[in-house]
Amino acid sequence: MADIEKRSMKESVAGALSNSSATVVNECPSESHTPSLTDADLTFPDGGAAAWLTVLGAFLALFCSFGQLNSFGTFQTWYAEHQLSHLPPSTIAWIGSLQLWVFFFSGGFIGRLFDAHGPRLLLIIGTLILAFGTMMTSISTQYYQYILSQGVLVAIGIGTVFYPSLAAISTHFSKYRGTALGIAIAGSGVGGVVYPILYQQLFNKVGFAWTVRISGFVSLALCGVAVATVTSRLSKPQDDAPWFDVKVFRDVSFRLVIAGSILISFGLFIPFFYIVDYSTDHGISSETAFYVLSVMNAGGIAGRLAPAYLADRLGRFNILVPCAFLAGLSMLVFWTFSRTLVAIMLFAVVYGFFSGAFNALIIPCVAQISQMREIGTRIGVLYSIISFPALCGGPVAGAMLKAEGGSYLGMIMLGGAAVVVGSLFMLWARIALSRRIDERV
């Protein structure tokens, strides 16, 4: 049986030698121009101390960065009951949505900086910004202050830590790239479990300000380890590359991945924003409701590991497509009829698993259809584009919740339908790479 991934690697090497922007599957490179790439740039050790230390550093970086991003539902509920109780949920949700948008949108710039300078300088800057933004959040009292500190500064710090860590892993691994990235991205799931529990336990014991400060000190320490351990195998910077190259959009499969990601990112984060409020509105105590978000993120840990492992063996697109589809379907079918604590917990586990799988596999899929020198830029371009639907998802859901008098049905239907349709575009991208269902794509 033909193996499309092996063919893709051969064409990727040839494409790098020719400086072609073609994808690794669809186009043949020309031989008109040869950039200076060393053999180290074109080979992948798929292991070794430096590679696995990079995975460890990325895990810790994502634990304290994206893990906090996954925990905004805890802040949403706390703000609604305390500092921002005078504001409607849809207005408060703009803090989390802006945080998502800034994080995603920064990807294009940070990815280009990674391709030019590598991960270390970016990680140092990101660590300092993340810690500073967290400390500023701890002393905020007004809505605009939370927008600036948590919605903007923390998000910039998270992005400057997140993208270089994952892009660096892709320079160390090829055959086991999905597994390595899945392990690293599992850090965000572990953080998403730990942080809501941490916040819930400390908010009432030491107060909001010191709870947030403690999380800031944790971020500073763990990201410091990431700075020391994350490395890239790109031996020469790419300073002369354009900041934005429209040639990346000539790749049909990449365009389809972008289209699918736009729809999926619109609905994917809605449960993370509103599952705590949904639980309390269905008679669950606020103390227990905080744990529902942790359970959802716990499901995401398994979703980031098991599908990533299977993807390296069965094909990354082959696993991404059904996982994205089932994430949307679980919203439409499972969440709609979840009324009791047990049902809501079960939905949280199932949705966390499949949404976590999408988060873990989208980067390996982009890397698979990209040349090595383009990985950081393409990942950044993708995340910059999907920043806009990610920005709109939470507030639109909150507006629908208000318009329907507190009914969650319309919000759930909208989010679930967006994710399902997005998964169909991912299927289209997979078919564009190969029409044979038995190929490892």
Side-chain angles (χ1 to χ4, degrees), residues 135-325:
M135 297 305 173
M136 294 304 294
T137 302
S138 72
I139 61 174
S140 297
T141 57
Q142 302 298 317
Y143 180 68
Y144 79 91
Q145 294 172 340
Y146 291 112
I147 286 286
L148 293 175
S149 58
Q150 191 172 17
V152 177
L153 278 177
V154 170
I156 292 173
I158 290 173
T160 314
V161 168
F162 176 90
Y163 296 109
S165 299
L166 295 185
I169 291 175
S170 295
T171 70
H172 288 278
F173 293 88
S174 175
K175 182 179 179 181
Y176 302 114
R177 180 179 288 156
T179 301
L181 285 168
I183 293 171
I185 295 175
S188 64
V190 176
V193 172
V194 172
Y195 276 100
I197 297 174
L198 174 72
Y199 294 142
Q200 171 64 17
Q201 293 296 317
L202 294 183
F203 275 156
N204 295 320
K205 292 181 179 179
V206 300
F208 175 85
W210 269 107
T211 298
V212 176
R213 287 172 197 148
I214 290 171
S215 71
F217 290 129
V218 170
S219 298
L220 190 62
L222 296 183
C223 287
V225 177
V227 169
T229 57
V230 173
T231 58
S232 169
R233 297 185 66 255
L234 291 179
S235 60
K236 293 186 178 181
Q238 199 177 355
D239 290 320
D240 58 343
W243 277 91
F244 182 77
D245 192 350
V246 296
K247 290 188 293 184
V248 299
F249 296 106
R250 294 178 183 174
D251 178 4
V252 174
S253 57
F254 185 56
R255 292 202 303 267
L256 291 171
V257 167
I258 289 174
S261 298
I262 288 172
L263 291 167
I264 291 172
S265 63
F266 178 84
L268 193 72
F269 296 99
I270 289 176
F272 290 93
F273 280 7
Y274 290 100
I275 192 65
V276 176
D277 287 342
Y278 180 88
S279 300
T280 56
D281 287 346
H282 284 80
I284 298 172
S285 67
S286 58
E287 291 78 10
T288 304
F290 278 107
Y291 290 97
V292 176
L293 182 60
S294 290
V295 169
M296 183 174 288
N297 285 312
I301 298 173
R304 288 162 169 84
L305 293 174
Y309 177 82
L310 291 174
D312 284 337
R313 285 145 184 83
L314 303 178
R316 288 148 194 163
F317 281 90
N318 291 344
I319 301 299
L320 173 71
V321 171
C323 286
F325 178 80

Side-chain angles (χ1 to χ4, degrees), residues 23-242:
T23 67
V24 296
V25 175
N26 294 328
E27 299 181 23
C28 297
S30 66
E31 299 180 358
S32 59
H33 180 67
T34 303
S36 57
L37 291 176
T38 66
D39 290 340
D41 291 330
L42 300 177
T43 59
F44 301 89
D46 276 310
W52 289 113
L53 282 173
T54 297
V55 173
L56 171 64
F59 179 94
L60 296 176
L62 267 66
F63 171 89
C64 57
S65 59
F66 204 78
Q68 293 188 60
L69 200 68
N70 277 345
S71 305
F72 181 76
T74 306
F75 286 95
Q76 171 88 17
T77 301
W78 179 266
Y79 290 152
E81 295 176 353
H82 297 86
Q83 294 99 315
L84 305 178
S85 58
H86 59 288
L87 298 175
S90 59
T91 302
I92 298 173
W94 275 106
I95 301 172
S97 292
L98 179 63
Q99 191 178 51
L100 272 177
W101 179 78
V102 173
F103 160 71
F104 282 134
F105 186 74
S106 66
F109 304 98
I110 297 171
R112 171 60 182 82
L113 289 171
F114 170 85
D115 288 339
H117 303 290
R120 183 146 296 163
L121 177 62
L122 290 173
L123 285 171
I124 293 172
I125 295 172
T127 298
L128 295 176
I129 295 175
L130 176 58
F132 178 71
T134 304
M135 297 305 173
M136 294 304 294
T137 302
S138 72
I139 61 174
S140 297
T141 57
Q142 302 298 317
Y143 180 68
Y144 79 91
Q145 294 172 340
Y146 291 112
I147 286 286
L148 293 175
S149 58
Q150 191 172 17
V152 177
L153 278 177
V154 170
I156 292 173
I158 290 173
T160 314
V161 168
F162 176 90
Y163 296 109
S165 299
L166 295 185
I169 291 175
S170 295
T171 70
H172 288 278
F173 293 88
S174 175
K175 182 179 179 181
Y176 302 114
R177 180 179 288 156
T179 301
L181 285 168
I183 293 171
I185 295 175
S188 64
V190 176
V193 172
V194 172
Y195 276 100
I197 297 174
L198 174 72
Y199 294 142
Q200 171 64 17
Q201 293 296 317
L202 294 183
F203 275 156
N204 295 320
K205 292 181 179 179
V206 300
F208 175 85
W210 269 107
T211 298
V212 176
R213 287 172 197 148
I214 290 171
S215 71
F217 290 129
V218 170
S219 298
L220 190 62
L222 296 183
C223 287
V225 177
V227 169
T229 57
V230 173
T231 58
S232 169
R233 297 185 66 255
L234 291 179
S235 60
K236 293 186 178 181
Q238 199 177 355
D239 290 320
D240 58 343

